[in-house]
Amino acid sequence: MRDGHDGGDYESGDRDTPVPGQERTFGALPPAHGRGFAESWWGRAWLKALEDTALDGQQLKKGRRFAREGRVGAVSVRPGRITAVVRDGDSSTHRSDVLLQELSEADWERLLGMAVERAGHIAALLDREMPPHLVEDAAAAGVELLPGIGDLDPECTCDAWDHCPHTAALCYQVARLLDQDPFVLLLMRGRGERRLLDELQIRIAARAEGHGARGPAGPADGSATAAASADDGGVRADEAFAARDILPPLPDPPPLPAEPGAAPSLDTETEPQDGVDPAALEMLATDGAARAHRMLAEALAPGHEQQPLPAVLTPQQDAVRLVAEARPEPWITKRLIAASGRRRAELDVAVRAWRYGGVAALAVLDEEWTPGPEALAGARALLAEAWEEGERPRLRSSGNRWTDVDGGVQLRYGRDGRWWPYRKEGGRWVPAGPADDDPAAALGGSGGPED
């Protein structure tokens, strides 16, 4: 935006000497054919204040046309006032001003003190962004940055008593300037960019030295509710709802990386502290990156918002997951065996279950339960329909488990209504395949897990 105005950002001709007479002059902008006047949320808030204040919609419509046709000349921005010459439809010109009340010294003290406490606000402004939390935090401190109804006061040589097409055109053009540089709004409120940054630097330096050159952090009225909101960074629900028309759109979803990031190497010359295993930490970092990559892929998939929340694993379940997914070194596996609460042979079976169906398959392995009458009747009906007459295996039921009396196979009915196949190996029932809604398909499609 710095090359979007002539004369630069100057203060009585010397931008390095902060003085009260701050002014910025922006050259006339080209016509705005085929585009809106405000793309940023703060630019839309500015226009909302104009459109909510003006009494004559036709005057606004005419002003939009003037701005769109490029009839607004160079715009001068000073504390409390914006000014431009606007050409009328008959080529006559009018000086138009729009006044906005400056913040008081006490307001600026509160705002600067709040900004020093939240460095992200300063960084956003330097990136020419107006973060919503800056406006919310300022409001919590009793300072209104954005104009509201009646705050944009018009003056025009056409002698209109309300917003005329000329002042409306000026406001629409300024919305384009605000899009590119929110410091324009702060200058209208009384502080130019250079003076504002200088004052912030003084406070930051004083704070670092322990002098605490800060303004009040809380709201002017000292209310407990507002103070709590300012302290914890939260926003009242009614305030968020009231701001729904000016809040920015959600950002685009992040792109999915081609693969998880690599874990850092912890193989250094420094000896680790007692009880710290660098190889185990590297394994956990690699596993965390893989899980994050998978979770992001799931979050970006269509319909993700309709999916149930994933189950929260117990430490014992997570130990099984780590052995199944991270494939750790043998000495790390020994530690996970102890954490799982299972013997080695039991852990091998649990790992096989996990690879077939995650936490749901692990629950079917560990739990024996009795379905209720309706679920039991539904399960029996599915079993009866799954095989042709004379082909159905002879199954003996015990709770949620149906065992073939003529062979070493078993079906387990999960709480989600799916069927899990098991077979007997070495005198132990082990998972034999993934779940299926059809008991016959589950039993017929069983196979060994992939290693």
Side-chain angles (χ1 to χ4, degrees):
M1 186 58 218
R2 294 185 182 278
D3 58 357
H5 61 278
D6 50 13
D9 179 1
Y10 65 89
E11 303 176 53
S12 292
D14 185 354
R15 66 173 293 150
D16 296 321
T17 305
V19 294
Q22 303 152 290
E23 183 173 355
R24 293 178 69 177
T25 302
F26 297 83
L29 295 176
H33 297 305
R35 56 153 285 168
F37 285 99
E39 297 177 357
S40 65
W41 73 271
W42 58 90
R44 293 195 296 271
W46 167 270
L47 290 183
K48 188 174 190 301
L50 166 69
E51 292 164 357
D52 287 350
T53 298
L55 299 178
D56 190 339
Q58 291 301 314
Q59 299 285 64
L60 289 183
K61 185 176 180 180
K62 193 173 181 181
R64 277 197 302 271
R65 189 175 75 250
F66 282 3
R68 195 173 295 282
E69 293 173 352
R71 294 178 177 272
V72 181
V75 177
S76 173
V77 182
R78 304 184 299 284
R81 180 183 294 267
I82 54 176
T83 306
V85 173
V86 181
R87 285 188 296 110
D88 215 333
D90 58 2
S91 296
S92 60
T93 59
H94 295 276
R95 170 180 165 148
S96 299
D97 295 76
V98 175
L99 281 60
L100 178 64
Q101 184 176 357
E102 296 180 52
L103 300 180
S104 67
E105 288 297 322
D107 289 338
W108 278 110
E109 284 295 320
R110 284 195 293 272
L111 182 62
L112 292 168
M114 178 272 297
V116 169
E117 292 287 343
R118 296 164 174 81
H121 293 340
I122 303 173
L125 285 172
L126 292 176
D127 285 338
R128 281 5 191 208
E129 295 286 334
M130 178 78 77
H133 287 309
L134 169 61
V135 177
E136 294 161 0
D137 290 345
V143 181
E144 296 296 337
L145 281 178
L146 292 171
I149 298 177
D151 287 345
L152 301 179
D153 190 16
E155 291 182 357
C156 186
T157 56
C158 75
D159 295 329
W161 62 273
D162 187 29
H163 274 286
C164 61
H166 315 107
T167 59
L170 173 58
C171 286
Y172 280 109
Q173 203 75 313
V174 167
R176 296 172 65 183
L177 302 179
L178 288 172
D179 263 2
Q180 301 174 68
D181 192 348
F183 278 107
V184 172
L185 175 64
L186 296 173
L187 175 55
M188 279 187 268
R189 287 299 199 183
R191 291 288 192 277
E193 178 178 353
R194 175 53 55 197
R195 181 179 177 185
L196 179 61
L197 294 179
D198 287 345
E199 293 183 356
L200 283 171
Q201 186 175 14
I202 292 171
R203 283 165 173 78
I204 292 171
R207 184 169 181 263
E209 296 172 2
H211 296 297
R214 297 178 296 174
D221 62 4
S223 65
T225 300
S229 176
D231 289 342
D232 64 15
V235 181
R236 287 171 53 93
D238 56 349
E239 294 174 357
F241 182 77
R244 64 193 182 280
D245 294 330
I246 62 173
L247 290 177
L250 292 175
D252 293 332
L256 179 68
E259 58 185 18
S265 173
L266 301 180
D267 184 13
T268 66
E269 296 180 358
T270 304
E271 289 294 323
Q273 295 183 358
D274 291 341
V276 176
D277 186 342
L281 290 178
E282 287 185 9
M283 182 208 71
L284 290 174
T286 301
D287 173 71
R291 294 183 69 195
H293 187 269
R294 183 169 62 249
M295 292 169 68
L296 179 58
E298 293 170 352
L300 296 175
H304 172 71
E305 68 279 3
Q306 304 297 329
Q307 299 302 314
L309 293 175
V312 177
L313 302 184
T314 66
Q316 294 77 15
Q317 291 171 331
D318 202 41
V320 174
R321 182 195 65 78
L322 281 169
V323 175
E325 296 181 358
R327 302 177 187 269
E329 298 293 340
W331 72 89
I332 301 176
T333 301
K334 288 182 179 180
R335 297 174 61 178
L336 292 172
I337 291 172
S340 72
R342 304 171 191 265
R343 294 190 293 271
R344 178 57 199 245
E346 294 172 340
L347 180 62
D348 290 342
V349 175
V351 165
R352 182 185 295 192
W354 183 274
R355 290 175 180 167
Y356 278 134
V359 67
L362 203 57
V364 169
L365 170 69
D366 292 335
E367 297 176 2
E368 184 172 4
W369 59 286
T370 301
E374 292 185 5
L376 187 60
R380 292 187 183 280
L382 286 173
L383 288 170
E385 296 173 359
W387 287 274
E388 296 292 340
E389 187 68 28
E391 296 180 356
R392 176 183 174 187
R394 293 193 299 156
L395 300 176
R396 181 179 65 250
S397 66
S398 175
N400 66 318
R401 302 177 180 182
W402 277 263
T403 306
D404 183 1
V405 298
D406 298 321
V409 293
Q410 184 183 82
L411 284 171
R412 296 191 180 185
Y413 187 61
R415 293 183 183 273
D416 59 359
R418 295 186 298 165
W419 298 88
W420 298 82
Y422 274 68
R423 65 170 173 260
K424 185 166 284 189
E425 294 181 0
R428 182 193 302 273
W429 289 110
V430 297
D436 201 293
D437 294 331
D438 182 352
L443 204 56
S446 63
E450 295 182 1
D451 286 323

